[in-house]
Amino acid sequence: MIKLLTVDTKIRVRYKETDRMGIVHHSNYYVWFEAGRTEYMREQGLSYREMEERGLMLPITETHCKHLQGALYDDVVVVRTSMSGFSGARIIMNYDVIKEDDQSLLA
Amino acid sequence: MIKLLTVDTKIRVRYKETDRMGIVHHSNYYVWFEAGRTEYMREQGLSYREMEERGLMLPITETHCKHLQGALYDDVVVVRTSMSGFSGARIIMNYDVIKEDDQSLLA
Amino acid sequence: MIKLLTVDTKIRVRYKETDRMGIVHHSNYYVWFEAGRTEYMREQGLSYREMEERGLMLPITETHCKHLQGALYDDVVVVRTSMSGFSGARIIMNYDVIKEDDQSLLA
Amino acid sequence: MIKLLTVDTKIRVRYKETDRMGIVHHSNYYVWFEAGRTEYMREQGLSYREMEERGLMLPITETHCKHLQGALYDDVVVVRTSMSGFSGARIIMNYDVIKEDDQSLLA
């Protein structure tokens, strides 16, 4: 898989994002992916907000994530975003979530 | 304070609603209030969804909550909703959150 | 794929679960799946809350969802939950999200 | 009210934080306040995560917010955090949410 461009977005884990297991609830990764995607597009000169305001929407059709290791409250994570392919009218985005301090891959 | 009508909405606490302290994150009470408000209006013969679709919006201007006791994952809570007053164009809603099994007041 | 048991959990879409596209944000489906899983286990005589309190945790290792159609605020959806397999120490759960009024498959 | 110290925390509004009204759902302000509080404490030399890990918890007992104006997806907001008083064992925190581009007060 060739990645022409990767864009890193730093996120500090919020208290609200944790659950009673003490780690970040898995559904939040999809929210972080979205933040990563917004920055990826901005880096390409595109504002997704403006695109939507002009009527161009990119609805999500499929989501997938492997959860390797849990992130903790107040950790800083990096969402490394790239485009990994096209498939018809679909865009396939790829995200790695990396813990900043030890560079371990979380998802 | 005279309450003409109270409407009870049952909610089972979701895993996602807990945080690392093991209890429900306080911000979720506002989400539950909203669920209670929707049912309160339905009980009055009003669908808030339809109202919005016809262009009548009720934006939130002020929120307040006393958090007395934490709810746990899988608890069943009752959101007891009433209207406690008007103030000009504003409607003031009141909510009690009660734990179903021991009837203790949570918020 | 043989499904020995399916458990249905009804959920009314909350206002908070929608996003500016007007539909339910995709990350909420994973929260609904979790609610479905809790009820599935209860139906089998297991309380996941008690299991956790005794130290048995089931962390999520992989999540996947196809988003076919958007759910709207105040829709009632059914999360139809089943176990679709084992793979070593892993349990694979399967979820269909169905809109109650027209029985259309959302995810 | 004398404010000895204010700490600013920048937050870019996430898509997930919006609702079908097109603005940020009011419950998210409490999540932002928490992010502001974490940074406020860090600025004072305190890590709330470490405090908790040593057994010192600061549960929320009361929350209140005036919602003046809605924030939009991709807006940058500043959470201006200060301590506005003590009351027995309670700490009272105060937060202003300011839109970065025009400095308007949102909450």
Side-chain angles (χ1 to χ4, degrees):
Chain A
M1 187 165 57
I2 298 164
K3 292 178 190 173
L4 294 175
L5 175 73
T6 65
V7 173
D8 283 2
T9 307
K10 273 193 199 184
I11 290 174
R12 187 173 286 274
V13 174
R14 299 173 180 179
Y15 201 93
K16 169 70 163 70
E17 293 173 330
T18 61
D19 64 25
R20 78 197 288 255
M21 217 180 266
I23 57 173
V24 170
H25 190 271
H26 57 281
S27 67
N28 292 118
Y29 287 83
Y30 294 102
V31 180
W32 295 351
F33 294 166
E34 199 161 57
R37 189 164 61 248
T38 298
E39 296 313 317
Y40 179 89
M41 292 177 74
R42 197 189 320 282
E43 203 71 22
Q44 305 273 28
L46 298 168
S47 156
Y48 182 59
R49 172 171 156 181
E50 281 176 24
M51 282 174 59
E52 271 207 356
E53 284 164 3
R54 289 174 191 171
L56 182 57
M57 306 245 169
L58 295 176
I60 307 291
T61 56
E62 194 165 351
T63 52
H64 178 250
C65 182
K66 290 195 184 186
H67 306 275
L68 308 174
Q69 209 188 320
L72 302 179
Y73 164 56
D74 217 32
D75 277 350
V76 175
V77 299
V78 174
V79 182
R80 186 155 293 162
T81 305
S82 58
M83 193 181 291
S84 58
F86 289 90
S87 149
R90 290 189 190 184
I91 299 168
I92 302 165
M93 302 296 294
N94 188 67
Y95 311 89
D96 287 337
V97 179
I98 298 149
K99 206 174 146 188
E100 196 188 36
D101 63 1
D102 65 4
Q103 294 293 309
S104 60
L105 186 64
L106 305 182
Chain B
M1 188 164 56
I2 299 165
K3 291 178 191 174
L4 295 175
L5 174 75
T6 64
V7 174
D8 283 2
T9 307
K10 273 194 197 182
I11 290 175
R12 186 173 289 273
V13 174
R14 300 174 180 179
Y15 201 94
K16 168 70 163 71
E17 293 173 330
T18 62
D19 64 24
R20 78 197 289 257
M21 217 181 265
I23 56 174
V24 170
H25 189 271
H26 57 281
S27 67
N28 292 117
Y29 288 84
Y30 294 102
V31 180
W32 295 351
F33 294 166
E34 202 161 53
R37 189 163 61 247
T38 298
E39 296 313 317
Y40 179 89
M41 292 176 76
R42 196 188 322 281
E43 203 69 23
Q44 305 273 27
L46 297 168
S47 155
Y48 182 59
R49 173 170 155 182
E50 281 176 24
M51 282 173 59
E52 272 207 356
E53 285 164 2
R54 290 177 190 168
L56 181 57
M57 306 244 169
L58 295 175
I60 307 291
T61 57
E62 194 164 351
T63 52
H64 176 251
C65 183
K66 290 197 185 184
H67 306 274
L68 307 174
Q69 210 187 319
L72 302 180
Y73 163 56
D74 217 31
D75 277 350
V76 175
V77 299
V78 174
V79 182
R80 186 156 293 162
T81 304
S82 57
M83 192 182 292
S84 58
F86 289 89
S87 149
R90 291 189 190 185
I91 300 167
I92 302 165
M93 302 295 293
N94 188 67
Y95 312 89
D96 287 337
V97 180
I98 298 149
K99 206 174 146 187
E100 196 189 37
D101 62 1
D102 64 4
Q103 294 292 309
S104 61
L105 186 64
L106 304 182
Chain C
M1 188 164 58
I2 300 164
K3 290 179 191 173
L4 295 175
L5 175 74
T6 65
V7 173
D8 283 1
T9 307
K10 273 194 199 183
I11 291 173
R12 187 174 287 275
V13 174
R14 300 174 179 178
Y15 202 94
K16 168 70 162 71
E17 294 174 329
T18 61
D19 64 24
R20 77 198 289 257
M21 216 180 266
I23 57 172
V24 170
H25 190 269
H26 57 281
S27 67
N28 292 118
Y29 287 83
Y30 293 102
V31 180
W32 295 351
F33 294 165
E34 201 160 55
R37 190 162 60 247
T38 297
E39 296 314 317
Y40 179 90
M41 293 176 74
R42 196 188 323 279
E43 203 70 22
Q44 304 273 28
L46 298 167
S47 156
Y48 183 60
R49 173 170 156 181
E50 281 176 24
M51 282 173 58
E52 271 206 358
E53 283 164 4
R54 290 174 190 170
L56 181 57
M57 306 243 169
L58 295 175
I60 307 291
T61 56
E62 195 163 351
T63 52
H64 177 250
C65 183
K66 289 197 185 184
H67 307 274
L68 306 175
Q69 209 187 320
L72 302 180
Y73 163 57
D74 218 31
D75 277 349
V76 176
V77 299
V78 174
V79 182
R80 186 156 292 161
T81 304
S82 57
M83 193 181 292
S84 58
F86 289 89
S87 148
R90 291 189 190 185
I91 299 167
I92 302 165
M93 301 296 292
N94 188 67
Y95 311 89
D96 286 337
V97 180
I98 298 149
K99 206 174 147 187
E100 197 188 37
D101 62 0
D102 64 4
Q103 295 291 311
S104 60
L105 185 65
L106 304 181
Chain D
M1 188 163 58
I2 298 165
K3 291 179 190 174
L4 295 175
L5 174 74
T6 65
V7 174
D8 283 1
T9 307
K10 273 193 199 182
I11 289 174
R12 186 173 288 272
V13 174
R14 299 173 181 180
Y15 202 94
K16 168 69 162 72
E17 294 173 329
T18 61
D19 64 24
R20 78 198 288 257
M21 216 180 267
I23 57 174
V24 170
H25 189 270
H26 57 280
S27 67
N28 292 119
Y29 287 83
Y30 294 102
V31 179
W32 295 352
F33 294 166
E34 200 161 56
R37 190 164 61 247
T38 298
E39 296 313 316
Y40 179 89
M41 292 176 74
R42 196 189 322 281
E43 203 71 21
Q44 304 274 28
L46 298 167
S47 156
Y48 183 60
R49 172 170 156 181
E50 281 177 23
M51 282 173 60
E52 271 206 357
E53 284 164 2
R54 289 174 191 170
L56 182 56
M57 306 244 170
L58 295 175
I60 307 292
T61 57
E62 194 165 350
T63 52
H64 178 249
C65 183
K66 289 195 186 186
H67 306 274
L68 307 174
Q69 209 187 321
L72 302 180
Y73 163 56
D74 217 32
D75 277 350
V76 176
V77 300
V78 174
V79 182
R80 186 156 292 162
T81 305
S82 57
M83 192 181 291
S84 58
F86 289 90
S87 149
R90 291 190 190 184
I91 300 167
I92 302 165
M93 303 296 293
N94 189 67
Y95 311 89
D96 286 337
V97 179
I98 298 149
K99 206 174 146 187
E100 196 188 38
D101 63 1
D102 65 4
Q103 295 293 308
S104 60
L105 185 64
L106 304 182

